[in-house]
Every structure is written in C-alpha cells, then in structure tokens.
Amino acid sequence: GRREVKDFRVLLIVLVSPAALMCVLSGQSSLLTTAALLAIFASLDSRPIAAGVLIGLLTVKPQLGILFPFMLVASGRWKVFLAAAATTIALLLASIAIGGLEGWQAYVTKALPLQREVLQDAAGTAMPFQPSIFMNIRGVVGNHAGEIIQFAFTLAAVAAVSLAFRYRRNADPRLLQALFFACTVSASPYMGAYDLLPLTLAAVALIAEEKLDGTGRRIAQLVFWTPALQLLFGNLQLPGPGFIAPAFAAYLLHRLFRPAPSLA
C-alpha cells in the first residue's frame, strides 16, 4: 500500500481502522488479500500476467474476486483474463491431484450448505460481522425476499463495474478502484466486516487526496466506520450499515459519468 499513497499517514489510519482491527482480532487473511488486490490494480496494464495470476489466486476468497471477469471483459484486458483463468484451472487441478475429488465433494455437500445456514440463522448470530445487503434486510423481509433483493444489488454491481470500466476506463484510477471495491462489497451476501479493508483504504485515500466533495467525504467516512456500525446495529438486529457501500458505489458512478462542467 505504500506505493499507492503519497502520505504515509493514510496507511496508519487504515491500519487502525475497524476493518483492520477486526481482521487482526479474528485472524483473517484480509491484510494479504488487500495487498493482492492493490497489486492487481497496480499491474493490470504494466504486468498483465502477474495481475492475472494474482486474480486466479484470489479464488481462495471468491467473494473478493466475483466482479473481476466482468471488469476484465468490459475493459478488454484479455491477457489478464486468460492468465487468471489459467491460474484458476491450475489451482483446481493441483487440488485434485493432491487431495482427490473428495475435498470438492465435501465442499459442495457440506461447506456450501453450512455457509447458507450461517447466513439464514434465525438468531442472526453472524449479522454483527456481515455488512452485506442480505444480512441487513433478512430480519425485516425474510430470507427469500432478502435473497431476491441481494440478487438485484448484485446485478446492479455487475452493471456498474461493466459500464465504468467499458466507457470510463481512462478515468481517475482511484475512483475506478474505489468503485470496484464498493461494488464487490455490494455484490455478495457473504462479506465479512474485515473484508472491507480494501474499500476502507480506497475511501481514506480519496479523502486524503481531496478527490471528493462534501457528500462524498461523508459517505467515505461512513465506509471507514462500517464494520463498527455493523457490529452495533447487528447486535441490535437493525438494518443500515450494509447500504453504505452501495451508496458509495452509486456516488462514485455518478462522479465518473456526470457531464463535464461547461466552460461557457
């Protein structure tokens, strides 16, 4: 991240953010996956093969890379796409060669149902730690309606990333990166609070570089505090923080596509 920002204090702020603290306290991998995501965006055009390999490695955390295929196709980065696909296939074949098919059978028959049970737990045990749309609204509208609403947000996230990287590929890289991270959070029903670390860094960097207006700064500040807000609201079984990332994505999309000011 040091190559991403000019002011070292930005990194210090990110390292004491709620997302980073929850990552450390829970022993999660977000510091590593955030480093991978930053390296991917820094290498998309200069080192496409390296970027593709890193995207392929991120399949170990699929909710973080779900939008990469759409972004790569929209921006015409086919070399990155092919490298990512080859790495993913290589990982799949390596896992089968080492452990056989039993591991994948267990993943389908045991791990996926368990993940669904965690999301749909009537007691809402995971809600304080999952700032996703689904986890924020399932207690209000029920699991079935919650899945439908989450799917609508997923489609919107795919459309936003595809449009931005197709028609605004040469826009400010920081805005595009932040949009991608915000849409990633918006797209998945299963998103740990610690997985907001990349979006946190992008939001803090945008504030530090003074690239946001008043509205944008306020939403970016809410992004910073989203994991803490989700912990509070989730324990009270109240919706709210899960909508911060989609709101930030909508703001960034508007910034990218708004008409240029007239010189007349």
Side-chain angles (χ1 to χ4, degrees):
R2 186 66 186 92
R3 296 190 301 178
E4 285 281 308
V5 295
K6 296 178 180 179
D7 191 340
F8 186 71
R9 291 173 296 179
V10 171
L11 293 184
L12 294 179
I13 292 171
V14 173
L15 285 173
V16 297
S17 67
L21 294 177
M22 293 192 73
C23 168
V24 174
L25 291 173
S26 60
Q28 286 290 337
S29 60
S30 299
L31 291 168
L32 293 174
T33 53
T34 299
L37 285 164
L38 295 178
I40 288 167
F41 275 90
S43 307
L44 280 173
D45 296 316
S46 60
R47 300 174 63 193
I49 301 300
V53 170
L54 286 172
I55 292 172
L57 292 175
L58 270 184
T59 54
V60 300
K61 199 84 167 173
Q63 65 266 40
L64 298 181
I66 188 174
L67 296 180
F68 270 117
F70 303 100
M71 182 268 271
L72 296 175
V73 170
S75 59
R77 292 182 167 100
W78 296 107
K79 187 177 291 187
V80 182
F81 184 95
L82 292 174
T87 303
T88 301
I89 294 170
L91 281 176
L92 173 64
L93 294 177
S95 70
I96 294 175
I98 295 171
L101 289 172
E102 292 81 4
W104 285 102
Q105 291 170 346
Y107 176 74
V108 173
T109 60
K110 296 180 180 180
L112 289 179
L114 177 61
Q115 186 183 75
R116 189 175 181 85
E117 286 182 20
V118 169
L119 288 175
Q120 297 189 349
D121 176 22
T125 306
M127 185 175 175
F129 313 103
Q130 298 277 344
S132 68
I133 291 295
F134 175 76
M135 291 300 284
N136 269 252
I137 62 173
R138 59 176 289 273
V140 177
V141 301
N143 288 328
H144 181 65
E147 289 175 347
I148 294 174
I149 295 172
Q150 174 64 71
F151 185 63
F153 274 84
T154 302
L155 291 179
V158 169
V161 166
S162 299
L163 288 171
F165 282 87
R166 172 65 178 87
Y167 297 105
R168 294 294 185 270
R169 174 177 171 169
N170 297 320
D172 188 328
R174 181 76 73 200
L175 292 176
L176 287 170
Q177 183 190 65
L179 174 68
F180 183 89
F181 292 155
C183 286
T184 297
V185 174
S186 307
S188 175
Y190 195 90
M191 183 65 62
Y194 39 77
D195 288 326
L196 268 65
L197 189 58
L199 179 58
T200 298
L201 192 151
V204 173
L206 283 170
I207 294 174
E209 294 167 6
E210 298 183 346
K211 293 184 176 181
L212 303 175
D213 57 20
T215 299
R217 286 194 298 272
R218 285 189 286 272
I219 303 176
Q221 289 163 355
L222 287 173
V223 166
F224 180 89
W225 292 108
T226 294
L229 292 171
Q230 184 63 35
L231 193 62
L232 173 62
F233 279 61
N235 277 304
L236 297 174
Q237 299 295 300
L238 295 174
F243 292 91
I244 295 174
F248 196 42
Y251 166 84
L252 292 168
L253 192 67
H254 172 71
R255 281 288 304 274
L256 287 165
F257 281 91
R258 67 182 180 184
S262 175
L263 299 178

